[in-house]
Amino acid sequence: MRSAQERSGELFDPTAPEFLADPYPELSALRETTPVLHHERLGRWFVTRHADVRACLRDRRLGRNFRHVGTEEEFQAEPLDPRWQAFWDGERWSLLWLEPPDHTRIRRLVAAAFTPRSVEAMREPAERLANELLEPFLDRGRMDLLYDFAQPYSIGLICRWLGVPDDRHRDLLDWSHAMVKMYELDTTEEQAVAANRAAEGFRDYVLELIAERRQSPRKDLVTALVEARVDGGRLSEAEIVSTVVVLLNAGHEATVNTLGNGIRSLMHHREQWQRLVDGSVPAAAAVEELIRYDPPLQLFERWVLEDGVEVAGALIPRGEKIAMLFGAANRDPRAFPEPDRFDVGRANAGEHIGFGGGIHVCIGAPLARVELEVSLRTLVERCPNLELAEEPKRIPAFVIWGLERVDVALG
Ligand code: HEM
Protein backbone atom coordinates (compact mmCIF):
# COMPACT_ATOMS: atom_id res chain seq x y z
CA MET A 1 0.00 0.00 0.00
CA ARG A 2 1.33 3.39 -0.95
CA SER A 3 1.37 6.36 1.36
CA ALA A 4 -0.89 9.39 1.08
CA GLN A 5 2.21 11.42 0.22
CA GLU A 6 2.89 9.36 -2.88
CA ARG A 7 -0.73 9.28 -4.03
CA SER A 8 -1.09 13.06 -3.80
CA GLY A 9 2.18 13.34 -5.68
CA GLU A 10 0.69 11.61 -8.67
CA LEU A 11 -2.24 13.98 -8.82
CA PHE A 12 -0.22 17.14 -8.38
CA ASP A 13 1.07 18.43 -11.70
CA PRO A 14 2.46 21.98 -11.59
CA THR A 15 2.98 21.90 -15.37
CA ALA A 16 -0.67 21.08 -16.28
CA PRO A 17 -2.67 23.82 -18.04
CA GLU A 18 -5.65 23.36 -15.65
CA PHE A 19 -3.33 23.93 -12.69
CA LEU A 20 -1.68 26.96 -14.28
CA ALA A 21 -5.09 28.52 -14.99
CA ASP A 22 -5.61 28.96 -11.22
CA PRO A 23 -3.14 27.14 -8.97
CA TYR A 24 -4.33 28.38 -5.59
CA PRO A 25 -7.26 26.00 -4.90
CA GLU A 26 -5.03 23.02 -5.67
CA LEU A 27 -2.09 24.42 -3.74
CA SER A 28 -4.38 24.99 -0.74
CA ALA A 29 -5.85 21.50 -0.89
CA LEU A 30 -2.37 20.05 -1.14
CA ARG A 31 -1.04 22.11 1.75
CA GLU A 32 -3.92 21.07 4.02
CA THR A 33 -3.57 17.35 3.31
CA THR A 34 0.13 17.00 2.57
CA PRO A 35 2.86 19.15 4.14
CA VAL A 36 5.50 17.31 2.12
CA LEU A 37 5.16 14.99 -0.86
CA HIS A 38 7.50 13.07 -3.07
CA HIS A 39 6.81 13.53 -6.78
CA GLU A 40 7.99 10.52 -8.71
CA ARG A 41 7.90 11.99 -12.23
CA LEU A 42 9.43 15.35 -11.32
CA GLY A 43 11.97 13.72 -8.96
CA ARG A 44 11.45 16.25 -6.18
CA TRP A 45 9.96 16.63 -2.70
CA PHE A 46 7.41 19.46 -2.59
CA VAL A 47 7.04 21.41 0.67
CA THR A 48 3.79 23.31 1.13
CA ARG A 49 3.47 24.94 4.59
CA HIS A 50 4.79 28.33 5.70
CA ALA A 51 6.73 27.15 8.77
CA ASP A 52 8.34 24.27 6.86
CA VAL A 53 9.31 26.41 3.86
CA ARG A 54 10.73 29.00 6.22
CA ALA A 55 12.76 26.33 8.02
CA CYS A 56 14.06 24.87 4.72
CA LEU A 57 15.20 28.31 3.55
CA ARG A 58 17.31 28.65 6.70
CA ASP A 59 18.62 25.08 6.87
CA ARG A 60 22.33 25.08 6.05
CA ARG A 61 22.19 21.34 5.27
CA LEU A 62 20.23 22.33 2.15
CA GLY A 63 22.03 24.08 -0.69
CA ARG A 64 21.14 25.73 -3.97
CA ASN A 65 24.07 23.77 -5.39
CA PHE A 66 25.73 20.46 -4.48
CA ARG A 67 28.86 20.54 -6.61
CA HIS A 68 31.02 21.79 -3.71
CA VAL A 69 30.23 18.62 -1.69
CA GLY A 70 29.53 15.82 -4.18
CA THR A 71 29.42 14.57 -7.74
CA GLU A 72 26.59 14.54 -10.26
CA GLU A 73 26.37 10.72 -9.96
CA GLU A 74 26.00 10.89 -6.17
CA PHE A 75 23.24 13.48 -6.49
CA GLN A 76 21.70 11.71 -9.50
CA ALA A 77 21.73 15.03 -11.29
CA GLU A 78 21.65 15.31 -15.05
CA PRO A 79 25.10 16.52 -16.17
CA LEU A 80 24.96 20.10 -17.43
CA ASP A 81 24.17 19.81 -21.14
CA PRO A 82 27.31 21.04 -22.97
CA ARG A 83 25.14 22.46 -25.77
CA TRP A 84 24.14 25.23 -23.35
CA GLN A 85 27.66 25.94 -22.12
CA ALA A 86 27.39 29.72 -22.49
CA PHE A 87 24.35 29.66 -20.23
CA TRP A 88 26.09 27.53 -17.56
CA ASP A 89 29.21 29.73 -17.75
CA GLY A 90 27.02 32.75 -17.09
CA GLU A 91 25.53 31.02 -14.03
CA ARG A 92 28.82 29.67 -12.73
CA TRP A 93 29.53 32.62 -10.39
CA SER A 94 25.96 33.76 -9.86
CA LEU A 95 25.05 34.24 -6.18
CA LEU A 96 22.09 31.97 -6.83
CA TRP A 97 24.37 29.16 -7.93
CA LEU A 98 27.02 29.48 -5.21
CA GLU A 99 27.38 28.18 -1.69
CA PRO A 100 29.89 29.32 0.96
CA PRO A 101 32.72 30.23 0.93
CA ASP A 102 32.45 31.67 -2.63
CA HIS A 103 28.89 32.82 -1.95
CA THR A 104 29.97 34.71 1.20
CA ARG A 105 32.86 36.41 -0.62
CA ILE A 106 30.81 37.71 -3.55
CA ARG A 107 27.64 38.43 -1.58
CA ARG A 108 29.60 40.63 0.84
CA LEU A 109 30.78 42.77 -2.06
CA VAL A 110 27.36 43.10 -3.66
CA ALA A 111 25.72 43.78 -0.28
CA ALA A 112 28.06 46.73 0.19
CA ALA A 113 26.27 48.42 -2.74
CA PHE A 114 22.81 47.98 -1.17
CA THR A 115 23.22 50.35 1.77
CA PRO A 116 20.00 51.93 3.08
CA ARG A 117 21.30 55.30 1.87
CA SER A 118 22.01 54.16 -1.69
CA VAL A 119 18.61 52.46 -1.92
CA GLU A 120 16.86 55.59 -0.60
CA ALA A 121 18.76 57.61 -3.21
CA MET A 122 16.84 55.65 -5.89
CA ARG A 123 13.49 57.01 -4.70
CA GLU A 124 13.77 60.32 -6.51
CA PRO A 125 14.89 58.83 -9.88
CA ALA A 126 12.16 56.20 -9.48
CA GLU A 127 9.50 58.88 -9.03
CA ARG A 128 10.81 60.81 -12.01
CA LEU A 129 10.93 57.77 -14.26
CA ALA A 130 7.47 56.52 -13.24
CA ASN A 131 5.94 59.92 -14.08
CA GLU A 132 7.85 60.25 -17.34
CA LEU A 133 6.73 56.83 -18.51
CA LEU A 134 3.11 57.41 -17.58
CA GLU A 135 2.83 60.90 -19.08
CA PRO A 136 2.34 60.05 -22.80
CA PHE A 137 -0.34 57.48 -21.98
CA LEU A 138 -2.48 59.77 -19.86
CA ASP A 139 -3.85 61.41 -23.04
CA ARG A 140 -4.04 58.18 -25.01
CA GLY A 141 -6.02 56.63 -22.18
CA ARG A 142 -4.77 53.06 -22.58
CA MET A 143 -1.55 51.11 -22.16
CA ASP A 144 -0.13 47.67 -21.56
CA LEU A 145 0.97 48.13 -17.98
CA LEU A 146 3.80 45.60 -18.41
CA TYR A 147 5.33 46.55 -21.76
CA ASP A 148 4.73 50.31 -21.62
CA PHE A 149 5.32 50.94 -17.93
CA ALA A 150 6.56 48.20 -15.55
CA GLN A 151 9.30 46.80 -17.82
CA PRO A 152 10.98 50.05 -18.90
CA TYR A 153 10.60 51.35 -15.33
CA SER A 154 12.17 48.38 -13.63
CA ILE A 155 14.89 47.83 -16.22
CA GLY A 156 15.62 51.58 -16.25
CA LEU A 157 16.24 51.60 -12.52
CA ILE A 158 18.36 48.47 -12.31
CA CYS A 159 20.40 49.61 -15.34
CA ARG A 160 20.95 52.99 -13.72
CA TRP A 161 22.21 51.17 -10.64
CA LEU A 162 24.51 48.96 -12.71
CA GLY A 163 25.64 51.68 -15.12
CA VAL A 164 24.11 50.33 -18.36
CA PRO A 165 23.26 53.09 -20.88
CA ASP A 166 19.64 53.65 -21.97
CA ASP A 167 20.09 52.44 -25.56
CA ARG A 168 20.86 48.89 -24.40
CA HIS A 169 17.83 48.42 -22.12
CA ARG A 170 15.71 46.55 -24.68
CA ASP A 171 18.59 44.14 -25.45
CA LEU A 172 18.95 43.37 -21.78
CA LEU A 173 15.21 42.78 -21.44
CA ASP A 174 15.22 40.36 -24.38
CA TRP A 175 18.25 38.47 -23.06
CA SER A 176 16.76 38.27 -19.60
CA HIS A 177 13.36 36.99 -20.82
CA ALA A 178 15.09 34.26 -22.82
CA MET A 179 17.49 33.22 -20.02
CA VAL A 180 14.96 32.89 -17.20
CA LYS A 181 13.07 30.19 -19.15
CA MET A 182 15.87 27.84 -18.04
CA TYR A 183 14.50 27.95 -14.47
CA GLU A 184 11.12 26.41 -15.42
CA LEU A 185 10.21 22.78 -14.73
CA ASP A 186 9.67 21.95 -18.41
CA THR A 187 12.10 24.02 -20.51
CA THR A 188 11.89 23.06 -24.22
CA GLU A 189 14.93 22.63 -26.44
CA GLU A 190 13.94 25.69 -28.43
CA GLN A 191 13.86 27.76 -25.22
CA ALA A 192 17.27 26.37 -24.19
CA VAL A 193 18.76 27.34 -27.57
CA ALA A 194 17.39 30.86 -27.15
CA ALA A 195 18.63 31.06 -23.54
CA ASN A 196 22.10 30.00 -24.57
CA ARG A 197 22.23 32.54 -27.38
CA ALA A 198 21.01 35.24 -24.99
CA ALA A 199 23.71 34.27 -22.46
CA GLU A 200 26.36 34.76 -25.17
CA GLY A 201 25.03 38.18 -26.08
CA PHE A 202 24.77 39.22 -22.46
CA ARG A 203 28.31 37.99 -21.65
CA ASP A 204 29.85 39.83 -24.61
CA TYR A 205 28.08 43.01 -23.65
CA VAL A 206 29.16 42.86 -19.98
CA LEU A 207 32.76 42.19 -21.07
CA GLU A 208 32.59 45.36 -23.18
CA LEU A 209 31.21 47.27 -20.22
CA ILE A 210 33.99 45.97 -17.93
CA ALA A 211 36.64 47.11 -20.43
CA GLU A 212 35.01 50.55 -20.69
CA ARG A 213 34.80 51.01 -16.92
CA ARG A 214 38.42 49.97 -16.50
CA GLN A 215 39.36 52.75 -18.92
CA SER A 216 37.03 55.35 -17.48
CA PRO A 217 35.53 54.54 -14.08
CA ARG A 218 32.13 55.95 -13.10
CA LYS A 219 29.92 55.94 -10.03
CA ASP A 220 28.11 52.70 -10.81
CA LEU A 221 28.00 49.08 -9.75
CA VAL A 222 30.01 47.73 -12.68
CA THR A 223 32.86 50.11 -11.77
CA ALA A 224 32.55 49.07 -8.11
CA LEU A 225 32.81 45.40 -9.09
CA VAL A 226 35.78 46.08 -11.38
CA GLU A 227 37.60 47.97 -8.63
CA ALA A 228 36.59 45.76 -5.69
CA ARG A 229 39.30 44.01 -3.73
CA VAL A 230 38.39 40.85 -1.87
CA ASP A 231 40.75 38.81 0.25
CA GLY A 232 43.67 40.55 -1.40
CA GLY A 233 42.51 39.75 -4.96
CA ARG A 234 40.10 41.14 -7.51
CA LEU A 235 36.94 39.64 -8.93
CA SER A 236 37.59 37.78 -12.17
CA GLU A 237 35.79 38.81 -15.38
CA ALA A 238 33.69 35.64 -15.20
CA GLU A 239 32.63 36.52 -11.63
CA ILE A 240 31.65 40.04 -12.66
CA VAL A 241 29.70 38.78 -15.69
CA SER A 242 27.70 36.33 -13.55
CA THR A 243 27.04 38.98 -10.90
CA VAL A 244 25.75 41.53 -13.42
CA VAL A 245 23.59 38.88 -15.11
CA VAL A 246 22.02 37.69 -11.85
CA LEU A 247 21.39 41.23 -10.64
CA LEU A 248 19.70 42.11 -13.86
CA ASN A 249 17.68 38.93 -14.31
CA ALA A 250 16.66 38.62 -10.66
CA GLY A 251 16.30 42.38 -10.42
CA HIS A 252 13.56 43.04 -12.91
CA GLU A 253 11.49 39.94 -13.79
CA ALA A 254 10.08 39.56 -10.27
CA THR A 255 9.47 43.27 -9.80
CA VAL A 256 7.61 43.58 -13.13
CA ASN A 257 5.50 40.51 -12.37
CA THR A 258 4.69 41.76 -8.86
CA LEU A 259 3.23 44.92 -10.36
CA GLY A 260 1.33 43.02 -13.09
CA ASN A 261 -0.06 40.38 -10.73
CA GLY A 262 -0.71 43.04 -8.11
CA ILE A 263 -2.68 45.39 -10.37
CA ARG A 264 -4.76 42.42 -11.50
CA SER A 265 -5.52 41.57 -7.84
CA LEU A 266 -6.36 45.20 -7.07
CA MET A 267 -8.66 45.53 -10.09
CA HIS A 268 -10.44 42.30 -9.12
CA HIS A 269 -10.91 43.72 -5.61
CA ARG A 270 -11.87 47.28 -6.39
CA GLU A 271 -12.60 48.13 -2.74
CA GLN A 272 -8.92 47.43 -1.93
CA TRP A 273 -7.74 49.77 -4.72
CA GLN A 274 -10.10 52.37 -3.26
CA ARG A 275 -8.32 52.12 0.11
CA LEU A 276 -5.13 53.19 -1.68
CA VAL A 277 -6.91 55.98 -3.56
CA ASP A 278 -8.48 57.41 -0.41
CA GLY A 279 -5.16 57.15 1.43
CA SER A 280 -6.33 54.84 4.21
CA VAL A 281 -3.61 52.28 3.36
CA PRO A 282 -0.13 53.41 2.27
CA ALA A 283 1.32 51.93 -0.92
CA ALA A 284 4.31 50.50 1.00
CA ALA A 285 2.00 48.32 3.13
CA ALA A 286 -0.02 47.19 0.12
CA VAL A 287 3.14 46.01 -1.67
CA GLU A 288 3.64 43.30 0.98
CA GLU A 289 0.12 41.98 0.44
CA LEU A 290 0.58 41.99 -3.35
CA ILE A 291 3.63 39.73 -2.91
CA ARG A 292 1.93 37.50 -0.34
CA TYR A 293 -1.30 37.04 -2.27
CA ASP A 294 0.12 36.34 -5.73
CA PRO A 295 3.92 35.98 -5.53
CA PRO A 296 5.93 36.52 -8.74
CA LEU A 297 8.20 33.57 -7.96
CA GLN A 298 6.33 30.40 -7.04
CA LEU A 299 9.00 27.81 -6.48
CA PHE A 300 12.59 27.61 -5.27
CA GLU A 301 14.69 24.50 -4.92
CA ARG A 302 17.36 23.10 -2.65
CA TRP A 303 19.58 20.03 -2.74
CA VAL A 304 19.82 17.94 0.42
CA LEU A 305 23.56 18.01 1.19
CA GLU A 306 23.61 15.77 4.28
CA ASP A 307 21.75 12.79 5.67
CA GLY A 308 19.32 13.26 8.55
CA VAL A 309 17.25 16.14 7.15
CA GLU A 310 13.64 15.94 8.30
CA VAL A 311 10.92 18.09 6.74
CA ALA A 312 7.42 17.98 8.21
CA GLY A 313 8.08 14.52 9.61
CA ALA A 314 9.59 13.05 6.42
CA LEU A 315 13.22 12.00 6.46
CA ILE A 316 14.71 13.14 3.14
CA PRO A 317 17.97 11.44 2.15
CA ARG A 318 21.14 13.19 0.98
CA GLY A 319 21.15 13.81 -2.77
CA GLU A 320 17.39 14.50 -3.06
CA LYS A 321 15.87 17.72 -4.29
CA ILE A 322 13.37 19.83 -2.34
CA ALA A 323 10.98 22.29 -4.05
CA MET A 324 9.41 24.93 -1.83
CA LEU A 325 5.99 26.15 -2.94
CA PHE A 326 5.86 29.85 -2.11
CA GLY A 327 2.27 30.38 -3.26
CA ALA A 328 1.07 27.55 -0.99
CA ALA A 329 3.12 28.81 1.97
CA ASN A 330 1.98 32.41 1.55
CA ARG A 331 -1.65 31.31 1.89
CA ASP A 332 -1.12 29.06 4.87
CA PRO A 333 -3.88 29.78 7.44
CA ARG A 334 -1.40 28.87 10.20
CA ALA A 335 0.52 32.04 9.28
CA PHE A 336 -2.16 34.33 7.81
CA PRO A 337 -5.78 34.41 9.04
CA GLU A 338 -8.29 34.02 6.16
CA PRO A 339 -5.39 33.61 3.75
CA ASP A 340 -7.45 33.72 0.54
CA ARG A 341 -8.79 37.17 1.43
CA PHE A 342 -6.90 39.93 -0.39
CA ASP A 343 -6.46 42.68 2.20
CA VAL A 344 -4.01 45.48 1.44
CA GLY A 345 -4.06 46.52 5.09
CA ARG A 346 -3.25 43.02 6.42
CA ALA A 347 -1.22 43.51 9.60
CA ASN A 348 1.32 40.72 9.10
CA ALA A 349 1.50 40.58 5.28
CA GLY A 350 5.23 41.34 5.57
CA GLU A 351 5.75 37.84 7.00
CA HIS A 352 5.32 36.38 3.49
CA ILE A 353 8.26 34.36 2.27
CA GLY A 354 8.25 36.05 -1.15
CA PHE A 355 11.81 37.31 -0.72
CA GLY A 356 13.08 33.97 0.59
CA GLY A 357 15.21 33.65 3.74
CA GLY A 358 18.56 32.40 5.03
CA ILE A 359 21.84 33.07 3.24
CA HIS A 360 20.23 33.48 -0.21
CA VAL A 361 17.54 35.90 0.97
CA CYS A 362 16.81 38.45 -1.74
CA ILE A 363 19.62 40.97 -1.69
CA GLY A 364 17.57 43.37 -3.80
CA ALA A 365 14.48 43.36 -1.53
CA PRO A 366 15.03 46.92 -0.22
CA LEU A 367 15.35 48.22 -3.79
CA ALA A 368 12.35 46.16 -4.96
CA ARG A 369 10.25 47.60 -2.11
CA VAL A 370 11.14 51.20 -3.02
CA GLU A 371 10.50 50.56 -6.74
CA LEU A 372 7.15 48.93 -6.11
CA GLU A 373 5.98 51.46 -3.57
CA VAL A 374 6.82 54.37 -5.88
CA SER A 375 5.26 52.83 -9.00
CA LEU A 376 2.09 51.79 -7.19
CA ARG A 377 1.72 55.21 -5.54
CA THR A 378 2.28 56.97 -8.87
CA LEU A 379 -0.42 54.86 -10.54
CA VAL A 380 -2.86 55.45 -7.68
CA GLU A 381 -2.29 59.20 -7.65
CA ARG A 382 -2.28 59.80 -11.38
CA CYS A 383 -4.83 57.19 -12.47
CA PRO A 384 -7.30 56.74 -9.60
CA ASN A 385 -9.92 55.40 -12.03
CA LEU A 386 -7.61 52.76 -13.49
CA GLU A 387 -9.45 49.72 -14.90
CA LEU A 388 -8.55 46.53 -16.68
CA ALA A 389 -9.36 47.02 -20.37
CA GLU A 390 -9.22 43.26 -20.84
CA GLU A 391 -8.83 40.28 -18.56
CA PRO A 392 -5.05 39.59 -18.52
CA LYS A 393 -3.78 36.19 -19.71
CA ARG A 394 -1.25 34.19 -17.71
CA ILE A 395 2.09 33.15 -19.17
CA PRO A 396 1.79 29.34 -19.06
CA ALA A 397 4.81 28.85 -16.78
CA PHE A 398 4.78 28.28 -13.02
CA VAL A 399 8.15 29.20 -11.49
CA ILE A 400 8.34 32.74 -12.84
CA TRP A 401 4.71 33.65 -12.38
CA GLY A 402 3.43 36.49 -14.47
CA LEU A 403 0.99 37.77 -17.07
CA GLU A 404 1.45 38.11 -20.82
CA ARG A 405 0.14 41.66 -20.86
CA VAL A 406 -2.05 43.82 -18.67
CA ASP A 407 -4.13 46.18 -20.80
CA VAL A 408 -5.48 48.97 -18.69
CA ALA A 409 -7.70 52.00 -19.24
CA LEU A 410 -6.22 54.92 -17.35
CA GLY A 411 -9.60 56.56 -16.66
C1 HEM B 1 9.44 41.77 -5.91
C2 HEM B 1 10.65 41.60 -6.37
C3 HEM B 1 11.55 40.47 -5.97
C4 HEM B 1 11.25 39.24 -5.45
C5 HEM B 1 9.89 38.66 -5.11
C6 HEM B 1 12.52 38.54 -5.26
C7 HEM B 1 12.63 37.29 -4.69
C8 HEM B 1 13.82 36.65 -4.43
C9 HEM B 1 13.96 35.38 -3.75
C10 HEM B 1 12.82 34.53 -3.27
C11 HEM B 1 15.28 35.08 -3.66
C12 HEM B 1 15.91 33.88 -2.96
C13 HEM B 1 16.06 32.68 -3.84
C14 HEM B 1 16.42 31.44 -3.05
O1 HEM B 1 16.44 31.44 -1.83
O2 HEM B 1 16.65 30.38 -3.67
C15 HEM B 1 15.99 36.16 -4.30
C16 HEM B 1 17.36 36.23 -4.44
C17 HEM B 1 18.00 37.24 -5.10
N1 HEM B 1 17.45 38.42 -5.56
FE1 HEM B 1 15.52 38.94 -5.51
N2 HEM B 1 13.53 39.36 -5.68
C18 HEM B 1 13.00 40.54 -6.12
C19 HEM B 1 13.69 41.65 -6.58
C20 HEM B 1 15.05 41.72 -6.71
C21 HEM B 1 15.80 42.88 -7.14
C22 HEM B 1 15.19 44.25 -7.48
C23 HEM B 1 17.11 42.50 -7.20
C24 HEM B 1 18.35 43.27 -7.59
C25 HEM B 1 18.47 44.53 -7.64
C26 HEM B 1 17.19 41.12 -6.78
C27 HEM B 1 18.35 40.40 -6.73
C28 HEM B 1 18.46 39.14 -6.15
C29 HEM B 1 19.71 38.40 -6.07
C30 HEM B 1 21.07 38.85 -6.60
C31 HEM B 1 19.43 37.22 -5.41
C32 HEM B 1 20.43 36.10 -5.05
C33 HEM B 1 20.90 36.29 -3.64
C34 HEM B 1 21.78 35.13 -3.16
O3 HEM B 1 21.67 34.02 -3.69
O4 HEM B 1 22.55 35.37 -2.24
N3 HEM B 1 15.93 40.67 -6.48
N4 HEM B 1 15.09 37.12 -4.75
Side-chain angles (χ1 to χ4, degrees):
M1 172 133 166
R2 283 181 302 166
S3 69
Q5 283 173 4
E6 282 172 308
R7 285 200 306 276
S8 327
E10 273 170 25
L11 298 176
F12 176 56
D13 182 359
T15 59
E18 315 80 76
F19 173 80
L20 293 174
D22 180 11
Y24 292 110
E26 202 174 327
L27 289 175
S28 287
L30 192 66
R31 182 192 57 237
E32 293 314 306
T33 55
T34 326
V36 56
L37 65 95
H38 184 249
H39 200 293
E40 208 53 50
R41 179 173 67 85
L42 295 173
R44 287 163 171 80
W45 295 75
F46 285 91
V47 183
T48 60
R49 293 189 181 165
H50 188 269
D52 296 322
V53 168
R54 219 175 157 273
C56 286
L57 285 165
R58 285 165 177 74
D59 193 328
R60 297 292 295 275
R61 297 168 304 169
L62 306 178
R64 284 199 51 108
N65 204 339
F66 61 82
R67 291 176 177 79
H68 57 305
V69 294
T71 62
E72 279 163 356
E73 294 76 56
E74 270 179 274
F75 280 75
Q76 293 180 23
E78 295 272 323
L80 300 179
D81 189 328
R83 288 176 300 165
W84 326 131
Q85 197 54 46
F87 179 81
W88 306 126
D89 288 346
E91 294 282 280
R92 172 66 184 87
W93 298 101
S94 151
L95 283 175
L96 282 172
W97 189 253
L98 295 175
E99 287 297 312
D102 286 325
H103 178 265
T104 324
R105 178 173 60 92
I106 297 183
R107 175 138 181 152
R108 210 185 303 140
L109 272 179
V110 179
F114 284 88
T115 59
R117 196 200 281 179
S118 59
V119 172
E120 231 7 76
M122 292 298 280
R123 192 175 286 277
E124 201 268 321
E127 277 165 5
R128 195 158 9 97
L129 184 57
N131 279 293
E132 266 169 34
L133 287 165
L134 213 48
E135 201 66 47
F137 294 99
L138 293 173
D139 284 342
R140 280 182 236 167
R142 261 180 89 138
M143 68 175 180
D144 171 3
L145 183 86
L146 299 185
Y147 187 84
D148 297 321
F149 181 73
Q151 286 178 1
Y153 171 75
S154 183
I155 204 89
L157 292 175
I158 187 71
C159 284
R160 182 191 169 99
W161 185 275
L162 290 167
V164 173
D166 292 1
D167 60 346
R168 300 310 293 261
H169 291 187
R170 271 287 151 196
D171 286 339
L172 265 66
L173 260 177
D174 292 344
W175 290 329
S176 167
H177 285 325
M179 289 175 76
V180 297
K181 290 288 175 214
M182 290 294 263
Y183 305 130
E184 294 298 336
L185 293 168
D186 50 358
T187 310
T188 63
E189 183 157 335
E190 201 185 341
Q191 286 171 331
V193 170
N196 200 59
R197 202 172 304 128
E200 286 167 353
F202 209 152
R203 174 201 61 208
D204 293 347
Y205 176 60
V206 179
L207 289 174
E208 252 176 61
L209 210 54
I210 293 173
E212 274 174 35
R213 292 301 183 272
R214 270 210 187 105
Q215 284 283 317
S216 29
R218 291 202 200 158
K219 276 191 139 191
D220 59 32
L221 193 72
V222 173
T223 308
L225 293 171
V226 166
E227 292 182 344
R229 289 197 168 271
V230 241
D231 305 334
R234 287 184 185 271
L235 288 180
S236 67
E237 286 194 338
E239 287 170 341
I240 300 178
V241 170
S242 286
T243 304
V244 171
V245 170
V246 70
L247 282 171
L248 195 112
N249 289 355
H252 91 277
E253 297 275 351
T255 319
V256 169
N257 288 332
T258 302
L259 199 65
N261 296 348
I263 290 294
R264 175 180 174 275
S265 303
L266 285 162
M267 295 298 110
H268 284 181
H269 301 86
R270 193 81 208 171
E271 75 295 347
Q272 300 296 321
W273 172 256
Q274 215 43 51
R275 293 171 82 190
L276 295 173
V277 173
D278 69 23
S280 57
V281 175
V287 164
E288 303 303 322
E289 178 70 348
L290 302 189
I291 298 174
R292 183 198 73 84
Y293 186 76
D294 200 13
L297 299 165
Q298 289 279 346
L299 177 149
F300 279 97
E301 294 181 334
R302 293 291 186 269
W303 292 95
V304 180
L305 304 179
E306 290 178 23
D307 278 325
V309 172
E310 202 181 303
V311 179
L315 199 58
I316 307 187
R318 177 174 191 261
E320 298 278 308
K321 215 170 188 188
I322 289 180
M324 300 168 281
L325 290 168
F326 280 23
N330 273 349
R331 296 212 190 184
D332 187 337
R334 294 158 198 81
F336 304 101
E338 293 185 72
D340 293 323
R341 195 162 53 84
F342 178 60
D343 170 6
V344 289
R346 184 181 285 277
N348 73 339
E351 288 168 27
H352 64 73
I353 40 84
F355 286 119
I359 66 166
H360 289 283
V361 69
C362 180
I363 203 165
L367 179 62
R369 286 186 158 119
V370 167
E371 273 185 41
L372 287 163
E373 179 198 339
V374 168
S375 54
L376 184 58
R377 190 157 30 77
T378 308
L379 285 168
V380 166
E381 283 172 7
R382 305 213 56 189
C383 318
N385 299 320
L386 190 82
E387 277 179 10
L388 289 176
E390 265 174 50
E391 187 50 35
K393 278 201 203 69
R394 286 255 165 236
I395 296 172
F398 181 55
V399 177
I400 298 188
W401 181 244
L403 298 161
E404 255 158 35
R405 45 189 295 136
V406 179
D407 287 302
V408 286
L410 303 181

